[in-house]
Amino acid sequence: MVRLTADVFAHAVPRMNCCQERELDLRGLKIPAIENVGVTQDQFDVLDFTDNEIKRVDNFPTFKRLSTLLLSNNHVTRLSPTLSEQLPNLDCLILTNNKITNLSEVDNLIGCTKLTMLSFVNNPIIRRQHYRLYVIAKLPQLKALDFVKVKAIEREEAAKLFRSAAGRLMQQDVEAESKTFTPGEDIPSTTNPMANLTAEQKDQVRAVIAAASTPEEVDRIERQLKAGVIPTLKKAAAPAGGAAEGTDAMDTSPTAPAPTTAEAKDAAEKAAAHAVLFGSGGVGG
């Protein structure tokens, strides 16, 4: 698998597509998760993530230009409930050949009021009873669903269904399934470990990340945050040789060998990625 780093974006191929939209090709890289998208600085209309291993559609900064996401042939099971805030002008979302099962994922797109083209072709969700009518009822602005034009009569049937007792019962079932946690499934990344921290605690975390000198230290900090533990800098004990007291040091295990150049570079990349996520421009900032 290939992490979606700034270097991957730098080597991706930009192009003008047939619709004269600026598109970035990120196909077939075995990318497991969407991350670090902020480095593109919202310079593209289309991001093509086709043929990767992405499981969740989330973790975008607020991009007003980006209007199309191509995510065919991935492993997507979840859609972010805040996708409409991240991509307010999302117009086209292609999720052909993925693993979306729950109709509750459709509810997460309700805020995407500019979404006009959506594809769930070859997802388990299409086998759900009244699937098409449910999607049309929830997303009335759609012009095409699964590459088939939404007809006026379908809109009428969808409205009629959800005015009925059967429709209300269906909605209750969908709401119940949205609260169900599947063992082994990733915890939604919309839960930001920095979200409930005070400004002072956030500054403390940023300082610890900046002090990290190896990839292992950065990983340890990330694990602590996910566990609800705020990492700290501690005062290093003065060595027998008489070093000055009060020197700040990472609160880590016994001293490890000095990092190699490659390790230091990797740690710097991880620290930069965490800065994007937790810094002044991130969710928790």
Side-chain angles (χ1 to χ4, degrees):
M1 290 190 221
V2 177
R3 283 195 61 187
L4 191 54
T5 63
D7 189 56
V8 172
F9 280 111
H11 288 86
V13 179
R15 62 184 176 221
M16 294 296 290
N17 65 19
C18 60
C19 298
Q20 294 303 302
E21 297 171 320
R22 187 167 166 78
E23 180 175 324
L24 189 63
D25 186 350
L26 295 159
R27 288 171 161 257
L29 300 177
K30 296 186 177 181
I31 297 167
I34 297 171
E35 56 185 334
N36 300 318
V37 184
V39 300
T40 66
Q41 299 181 343
D42 200 13
Q43 295 180 356
F44 296 92
D45 303 292
V46 182
L47 291 182
D48 188 350
F49 290 108
T50 301
D51 297 324
N52 283 290
E53 299 179 7
I54 295 167
K55 296 179 181 179
R56 298 181 59 87
V57 181
D58 65 357
N59 206 24
F60 291 93
T62 301
F63 273 3
K64 295 183 178 180
R65 178 173 178 174
L66 185 59
S67 61
T68 299
L69 287 178
L70 306 179
L71 285 148
S72 296
N73 305 328
N74 277 273
H75 304 310
V76 175
T77 59
R78 295 285 186 174
L79 306 176
S80 171
T82 60
L83 193 62
S84 62
E85 299 171 16
Q86 299 167 29
L87 306 176
N89 293 311
L90 184 64
D91 173 70
C92 178
L93 179 59
I94 304 301
L95 291 159
T96 300
N97 292 331
N98 277 281
K99 299 180 179 180
I100 296 174
T101 302
N102 297 334
L103 286 171
S104 57
E105 297 307 313
V106 177
D107 290 7
N108 291 336
L109 297 174
I110 290 175
C112 298
T113 57
K114 296 187 178 181
L115 186 65
T116 61
M117 180 175 288
L118 176 64
S119 171
F120 286 125
V121 171
N122 290 342
N123 280 258
I125 192 176
I126 69 173
R127 295 192 290 272
R128 296 289 295 270
Q129 185 179 25
H130 302 308
Y131 148 75
R132 188 170 174 88
L133 294 182
Y134 186 89
V135 177
I136 292 171
K138 291 295 181 177
L139 306 174
Q141 77 281 6
L142 282 183
K143 295 180 180 178
L145 174 59
D146 299 338
F147 305 106
V148 176
K149 182 179 179 181
V150 176
K151 300 177 182 178
I153 191 171
E154 289 181 304
R155 299 186 192 279
E156 294 171 5
E157 290 174 354
K160 182 178 179 180
L161 172 64
F162 286 93
R163 284 196 301 265
S164 69
R168 290 192 292 272
L169 183 60
M170 184 180 183
Q171 182 62 58
Q172 291 173 7
D173 291 342
V174 171
E175 290 173 357
E177 92 183 358
S178 71
K179 299 175 183 177
T180 302
F181 175 75
T182 304
E185 186 179 72
D186 292 337
I187 296 174
S189 62
T190 51
T191 303
N192 182 1
M194 296 278 280
N196 296 320
L197 301 186
T198 65
E200 183 178 352
Q201 289 171 328
K202 290 176 183 177
D203 289 341
Q204 178 178 318
V205 171
R206 294 184 187 111
V208 174
I209 292 172
S213 58
T214 67
E216 289 75 17
E217 289 179 359
V218 176
D219 287 339
R220 181 184 61 82
I221 295 167
E222 186 174 3
R223 289 195 300 271
Q224 286 181 324
L225 285 170
K226 289 180 177 179
V229 178
I230 302 173
T232 61
L233 287 169
K234 72 174 184 178
K235 302 294 183 180
E245 295 183 0
T247 304
D248 285 338
M250 285 289 297
D251 185 9
T252 60
S253 300
T255 306
T260 64
T261 302
E263 288 176 331
K265 181 179 179 181
D266 193 7
E269 288 181 353
K270 284 198 172 191
H274 279 70
V276 171
L277 178 59
F278 301 131
S280 59
V283 177

